[in-house]
Structure formats: C-alpha cells, structure tokens
Amino acid sequence: MLSSKVTCNSHGQDSSYFLGWEEYEKNPYDEFKNPNGIIQMGLAENQLSFDLLESWLKNNPQPAAFKNHDNQSIFKELALFQDYHGLPAFKNALVKFMSEIRGNTVSFDANNLVLTAGATSANETLMFCLANPGDAFLIPTPYYPGFDRDLKWRTGAEIVPIHCSSYNGFRITKSALEEAYKQAEKQNLKVKGVLVTNPSNPLGTSLSLHELDLLVNFISMKNIHLISDEIYSGTVFSSPSYTSIMEVLKNRNLMNTEIAKRVHIVYSLSKDLGLPGFRIGAIYSNDELVVSAATKMSSFGLISSQTQHLLSEILSDKKFTKSYLSENRRRLKERHEMLVKGLQKTGIRCLQSNAGLFCWVDMRHLLSSNTFEGEMELWKKIVYEVGLNISPGSSCHCSEPGWFRVCFANMSEETLNVAMQRVQSFADCMAKKNIQSRHQQLLQRNSRRSKSLPKWVFELSFHQREITADER
Amino acid sequence: MDHNLLSKIATNNGHGENSPYFDGWKAFDANPFHPQHNPDGVIQMGLAENQLSFDLIQKWIESNPSASICTPQGAFAFKETAIFQDYHGLPEFRTAVANFMNRVRGNRVKFDPDRIVMSGGATGAHETLAFCLANPGEAFLVPTPYYPAFDRDLRWRTGVELFPVVCESADNFKVTREALETAYKKAKLANVKVKGMLITNPSNPLGTFLDRDTLKDIVNFVNDKSIHLVCDEIYAGTVTNGDEFVSIAEVIEEVPKCNLDLIHLVYSLSKDMGFPGFRVGVVYSYNDNVVNIARKMSSFGLVSTQTQHLLASMLSDDKFVENFISESRIRLAHRHDMFTRGLAQVGIGSLESKAGLFFWMDLRRFLKEPTFESEMTFWRVIINEIKLNVSPGQSFHCSEPGWFRVCFANMDDETTLVALWRIKTFVRKNRNLEIKTRKQYWQNGQHLRLSSRRLDDILTPHRMSPHSPLASPMVRAQN
C-alpha cells in the first residue's frame, strides 16, 4: 500500500546512533531534577557561545521587530518573500562569513550559493543533482551516520566506504581511494564522486594538504565530483590551520577549470553558530548547471525568510562575526582540552584533533573482545551503567571496533565534570575487574608451573603493568 | 559541464519551469508595474498570494513582542528555540496549527496535533507524500485543471506520474464519478498503476469547492479502488462563507467503512495567512505509518524554530485567530466581488466561485479559434498589450482553450483599479472583434454569464457610480 521507501529502513533510524538518543530521552540527566540520568554526549551541538548571540540581539532590536534600519516595518515583504534565489542581503552576508572563516584566503560568489533547509537538505539535494539511482559516492570511514539517510534514502544513491584506520590516524590514502573505487566497480556501481567532511565528523580533524591534494588528483583522474561538507569549518580551534578545498584549487591554479566545476561545498550555521533549529544550510558550486538545478530543488526546503533576515543582520555585523569566531574557537579549545585531559587521567586516549564539537576516543583496551559485539557490549555498559550517551564507532561505519565519538560542546562545564567523574569511576572499576580477572588467570597459570618464586613477585610485576597502561 | 556528469533529474525538464505558467512571471520580472515608478509596467495577476490582511498580523506582532525570540521580552527563549531541531516540531506549534485548522473549518473537525508533520511548505508536503505513497512509475489521478507546479512537486524527484481526470466546462469543471472511472480505466489500459488521487479543495485554479456529495463520491471511489486520497486544503480559509466549506476531515466521518489509512491532507499557511516566505507546510495523515515516515522525511524541510515559535504564539491567540479568519474572508470576498462585477460590466464572465485568491476567467470568445495556439496568441496580447500577467488555462492542463486564471488578492486597491481600467480599455478597443464572436456564441447556443449592464457602463478611476463597491467605506479606509 505504501512505497518501498516507507517499508525499507534506509532512513537509518534503527541504528545504534539513534538508539542511544532514545535511551537518553527516557532518562535525561538534569543537575537537580535527575542527577543520575544519562548525560547526552552523542549530540554534536555547539552551546558554548549563545551569550554572544543574545548580547547581539539585545543591542540590535530592529531585525527582531521585523523592521529595517529606518525603523520601517518590513514584515509584509518578508512574509511574502519566497524566491528560491534567497534574500540577497543574506546570501551576500553568508558568503562573506564563509570567506572570513577561511581567513579570507578565498572569496565566494553569492550567485553560486543555493540556500537549503539545513545541511541535511543540502546533502540530499546535491545527491539528486549528481547521482542517478544506483550510482555511488565514496566516503571515508568513519563518517556521520546521518549520511546513510541523507544521501541514500530517497535518492536511491549508494555509499561505498573508503576505509581509513588508526594506523595512520584515519587519514585518507591513495590506496584506500583506489580500493574503494575498485569495490564499487565490483558491485557494478558507477562512481559519481567522493564526499568528505572537512573538518571531519566524527574525527574532529581537518584534512591535511596532502589529503586534499590526493582528493583533487583522484577526482581529476576519474572525472568525478567532490563534495566537501565544511559545516565544522568555523570550529577549528588549534593548528594546523584550516585549509578549504577551494583554497587548494586556487593555489593549484585550477579555479576556472572543469575540475573546479566538479567541486561543491556544503555549509550550514548549525554548528559554527549553534543554530540547528533555524535550518540554515547552503550548497556552493562553481558549476552553473548544478546551481540552477539545486536552486529549483531548494523549493522543497527553503529557509524561512524571517530567519534569513535575522541572520543577514547578524552576519553583516563584521565586528560581531570577528569577535564571535575568535571567542567561540577559544571556548571550544578550552572545552576540548578539558575532555581530553579528563579522559587521559583515566587511561583513555583521544585521537589528536584540532576541530569539531567532539573527540574520537580510543576505548579499544576496554573491550572484552576485539569485535563489534565487544564494542556494543561496552557501549551498553557506558550508556546504562556509566550513564553517558556516546556514539559507538560502528554507527559511524568505523572499520575497527573500540572507537567512540564523545561530544563536549553541548553541555555546561559542570555537567562535563560530572561526566568525567563517572568515566573515572568506571575506569577504576574496570581496572579492578581486570586486575582481579588477570590475577585469577595468572594464579591459574602459575599453579601449573613450579612454585620457585613467592607470590608477591608476580603481584608486583602485575601492578607495574597497570601503571604503564595509565600513562598511555 | 558534460551533462553525463550530472543526474538525469538535474538535466531533464522535470522542474517544469519551461511551462508558459512561468513565462508570464518572467515578463513581469522584466517590467514590473509600480504606481509611481513604472505605471506602464506589467501588473502581476499570476501570483496567488493573499496580501489583504497583513495589517492585522502586523498589529498583533507589535502587541506581542514575546512571540519573537529576538526581542527583550522573548529573548529568554532564544537558546532553547535555536537548538531545538527535533523533527516532531515544537509541541506548542503543532497544537496551535491544529487549533487554527480547526477554526478555519468552524470547529466542525478536531485535528490531532500528533498527526501534524512539518514540511517545507505545501511544496515539500506534496513531494513527501508522493515519496511515501507511490513508487517510481506509479501514478496519481488529478482532476484538471490543476496547479501547474504539481508536475514538479509530485513527479520531478520522485519518479511518480500524474494522470489527468478531465473535467469540462459543460459540467462547470465539476469532478464527476464518471470522469473518475473513465480516467481510472484509461490508466489501466495504458498499464499505469494508479496509487492514489490528488484533489485541491478549494480548487486552484477554479476557486470553487467540492460539495459534500462529490466528496463522498470521491471517498467511496478511493475506497473501492483501494487507492490513496491526498486532499490539498491550502485555500480552506479563503472560502467566503466558511460554514459552506466541507473538509475531507468531516466527510470521512460520514462514510461508513472508510479505510482511514488511505486519507491524507496537505495544508499550509501560505494562502490563508499570507506567509509563503515562512515555509510552513503540513502533512496530516490518518495513516500511522505515513505519519511516522513523513516525519522522518521532514528532516529535509523542517520549519525554522524561530518561525515555529512565532506562530505557536500567534495561532494560539484564539481571539486574534477568530477575528483574522472572519476579517480575511470579508476582504477577500469584497475584492473578488470588485473584480467580477467590474469584468461583468465589460462583458467578461468567470466561473462562479466562492473561494480562492483568483477567479477562472472565460475568454473563449476572444480567441480567433477554439485552439490552444489561439489561447497562447491571445495570452501574449494580454501580457504585451493589456500588460497583465494572467495564467493561461493550458498551463493548468485545462482540456478546453480560452480559460485564464486571474489573481486578485496580491495587490492594493489602486492597482486593482488600474487593472480593471486596462481591461475595460482593451475590450472597448476590440469591441468589433468581441461582437462578432459573441454572435457566433449565440448561434452556437452558448450562454454568457454576464451582467445586463451596457458595455459603456464601466468603472474608471475617475467616474465612480455611487453603487459601485469601490465607494464602500471599507475600500476607502484601506487607502
């Protein structure tokens, strides 16, 4: 009776990524009302800098009242404005903001920008424009779980993973790209392009120059597209400094070539400004056919004109954007350090990262078995026993079990401290259990050997091993 | 770029923007009328917008600063609103929208806020429903004439087809059971799998609404064939006499054994409230599965929470809502009347209608021949000589040439007068042509729906009859 899109589960919402959310919804942490509830660390939101926005609003009452700078009401004009080309003032302000984030190393043309209801819509729209049903895009793993829905569900496109692994910090390699391409061919899938998230979700790292060059070479050779989802570009808080794909094209003198026409950027204000509710997304493309088709498609998900107007005012205030970007970065860096150090104390390491709203945490040593079942088992413990909703690497299609994405910017400092304390207790507990079980194992093994050495010798050497583990 | 590098969807014409419906817009964009800056420009009468009641809304916004999350009074809600991206939508928003929908229907129905699913305008709602109800290649029956953008909204990215149910002027374009059965059989013969039917009630472009019996017939039809019914009620609030409008939500309660899983509604605030820029669309389904999946799909076109918050406040103000709905109806009826009387006085008739933001104008007797080519030729005359952008019937898939949709609610009174004056002037100039063809019509036994006033008794901006609706104090007050 209904379409196959309804009965399949390509919306991906049966994934563990969303199940953790459900558990959190049933028992959410609240400092006073529910101090034993689950702390949400699976939501990549930026809640650190609202005070800056609120202060701007206080000082700029006109846009709020639907008035222009001459204090005249523009309510009617806004309410009627449904042109899918978008409010010019907003687009102009947005491209300048995007440029500012990239240190003004590149400039963007507002005519090449298409507004969409969030990056969710932008990614789906680009798929509709670039891929036919059954065509594939290559995506480095681990990747944002929502891509399975956004890129595949209604479009009929496929995703083929580019496997990245911890041996080199999950960096994209030439061989991984080639291997993925071959895999697609084996499955009879026509590869239409590569999609990368830069900075990466869930890794929190920005792509290196080497990786960016590799990508440009690869798409050039294969005559395919490159989509660069740059929604975290404003969250780069430490070195190396951020390099956008556009900068690479510019530096390699490829800006007016066919290659540049196959490079498309996705952007949004959900992460950098922390406004996911306002549904502000955009596609930037150097190809006028793509811009034209995407613009028409944006009819299915335009940005509310009320919101376009508000943001055009905020983003046009250059003094504000400059101070916001720098203060926001500073706060993210501080919070990131807090999480990294807090985890370090408990013997848990994070992938070294310079961006994003989360850390990619290495809990392989806490797995009972080096398998995804082991990962799920550990994840359930963390959700139900420790009371933290974090995202298991398998939900991000990571090829190695034991990695988790842990968000740090969607809560207060107090809550993060509580979370760290819980992790500490959990790690202590796990360590004790490990000591006990290892102790048991050793005893069993030694009872089979000669008893030439006293027991305390074995116990001493065992404790030394544990200390080493903490220092990792 | 090599077209092969893009998808088929990106490079075909499924967006439908090469249709003549949009040509008129282009002419207007190139030379838009403005009373002072460009008095000879093209007047836009091809845009079904409701601009008559903004003052009411503006007044409400000024009196309710806390409805905006950016004012000092409303700022406390800024953060929680800005981070809220739950695709269920703000609960108070859904409740307020359901409340508004109920009141538009005189509280004769009670919509369940939990069945309200957001979408990127009605445009997004239609596409979402098509994705949910039909697979690529399957079809929806749609009575003609219909809103041109359905071709894009229902078909472009979904691969779903539209199959016309031909309605004719002889029946006043009513949807008959016969027409439905004929269309269904034709589809079957053509090996087209019909998954559902789409009706717009009140109709765009006709401005009429379906009576209870016709609606019951349609509900019985879809139940017999076990196909879905999508009822687009975005013009529900534009019905002059609200008590006369019958919503599908009422009818299904009166049809025993109606399979509710087949029934779905599309709504929006773009027409009734005049907010197309705010992109507030609604998918309302009686099918739990569809609600569930449409809600997941709404991620692709959620309503900005800034807007949700504003409207939650506005639409839960019952006093305001009641006053707005009734006042808006009065103003629309008045404007509609102004036009149809003005046109009748120059001998131009239209389909009798009591809803919508437009009327369906009968210009058949101005065509050289009863063909679509003649319709196009005459349409270019209307744009280039009379300087009005109206929409030719063929862009609505009308089966008969000579009908045009003319919008009346997207302009102020001054512009209305100019438009009427231009029409009068044109008719006067071409009186010979008109008389000749009028004779032909009488010979063919056709009757004209005209007033009995002489052709000369016409309205101009300077000579106003005391009985003219333009002399009404309401019109003067609006100036």
Side-chain angles (χ1 to χ4, degrees), chain A residues 129-384:
Chain A
C129 288
L130 305 179
N132 292 311
D135 287 346
F137 259 74
L138 310 179
I139 305 188
T141 65
Y143 63 78
Y144 164 56
F147 280 155
D148 290 323
R149 170 198 62 190
D150 300 350
L151 304 175
K152 301 193 323 177
W153 189 18
R154 307 191 307 178
T155 62
E158 292 296 338
I159 293 175
V160 174
I162 300 167
H163 290 294
C164 301
S165 66
S166 58
Y167 89 93
N168 71 341
F170 295 94
R171 297 280 169 195
I172 301 169
T173 63
K174 188 168 178 212
S175 58
L177 282 166
E178 295 284 356
E179 181 54 38
Y181 195 90
K182 272 196 204 104
Q183 275 306 313
E185 282 185 319
K186 262 193 204 154
Q187 296 169 50
N188 266 328
L189 297 171
K190 183 172 184 199
V191 176
K192 276 324 243 324
V194 178
L195 185 147
V196 296
T197 309
N198 181 28
S200 162
N201 173 13
L203 303 175
T205 52
S206 50
L207 291 179
S208 63
L209 281 173
H210 175 68
E211 287 171 292
L212 289 166
D213 273 333
L214 267 181
L215 288 164
V216 171
N217 295 340
F218 187 72
I219 64 155
S220 166
M221 185 177 56
K222 302 286 188 203
N223 204 28
I224 56 178
H225 295 274
L226 176 62
I227 298 175
S228 183
D229 183 335
E230 301 190 349
I231 67 170
Y232 291 98
S233 47
T235 67
V236 178
F237 48 76
S238 66
S239 61
S241 65
Y242 182 64
T243 307
S244 162
I245 190 70
M246 285 300 170
E247 204 184 325
V248 171
L249 291 173
K250 188 176 162 196
N251 292 339
R252 287 174 61 164
N253 284 322
L254 294 170
M255 276 314 288
N256 292 313
T257 65
E258 284 304 304
I259 296 171
K261 284 188 170 175
R262 298 200 303 273
V263 174
H264 322 280
I265 291 180
V266 166
Y267 188 55
S268 158
L269 295 182
S270 299
K271 310 296 178 184
D272 292 349
L273 284 187
L275 306 173
F278 290 359
R279 314 315 300 146
I280 303 164
I283 296 169
Y284 187 88
S285 175
N286 295 309
D287 183 271
E288 56 186 34
L289 273 177
V290 172
V291 170
S292 171
T295 302
K296 293 176 174 67
M297 286 188 192
S298 68
S299 300
F300 299 111
L302 296 171
I303 303 177
S304 169
S305 55
Q306 181 191 14
T307 301
Q308 289 190 50
H309 173 69
L310 175 66
L311 267 301
S312 78
E313 293 292 318
I314 294 177
L315 298 182
S316 302
D317 184 343
K318 294 278 112 219
K319 204 166 153 210
F320 172 77
T321 57
K322 187 171 177 195
S323 70
Y324 180 91
L325 284 172
S326 85
E327 179 59 18
N328 183 45
R329 280 171 181 139
R330 193 193 66 76
R331 295 180 187 186
L332 286 170
K333 183 175 184 182
E334 209 172 66
R335 195 56 85 78
H336 169 263
E337 264 168 33
M338 215 175 126
L339 177 64
V340 169
K341 290 205 167 114
L343 290 174
Q344 220 167 36
K345 280 191 206 140
T346 62
I348 297 174
R349 284 193 316 173
C350 300
L351 180 74
Q352 191 168 22
S353 63
N354 66 327
L357 309 172
F358 33 71
C359 285
W360 188 235
V361 181
D362 184 358
M363 297 200 201
R364 288 176 292 175
H365 61 292
L366 296 174
L367 297 180
S368 57
S369 67
N370 188 23
T371 60
F372 286 110
E373 288 76 26
E375 182 182 278
M376 270 299 111
E377 197 189 302
L378 177 59
W379 175 68
K380 281 187 184 130
K381 269 202 194 112
I382 296 175
V383 172
Y384 296 113

Side-chain angles (χ1 to χ4, degrees), chain B residues 59 65 113 158 181 223 246 342 348 352 357 382 403 412 445 470-471 475:
Chain B
K59 198 169 152 202
T158 62
E181 295 286 357
N223 272 277
V246 180
I348 294 177
E352 195 181 318
L357 308 174
I382 300 177
W403 294 87
D412 58 27
L470 292 174
V475 173

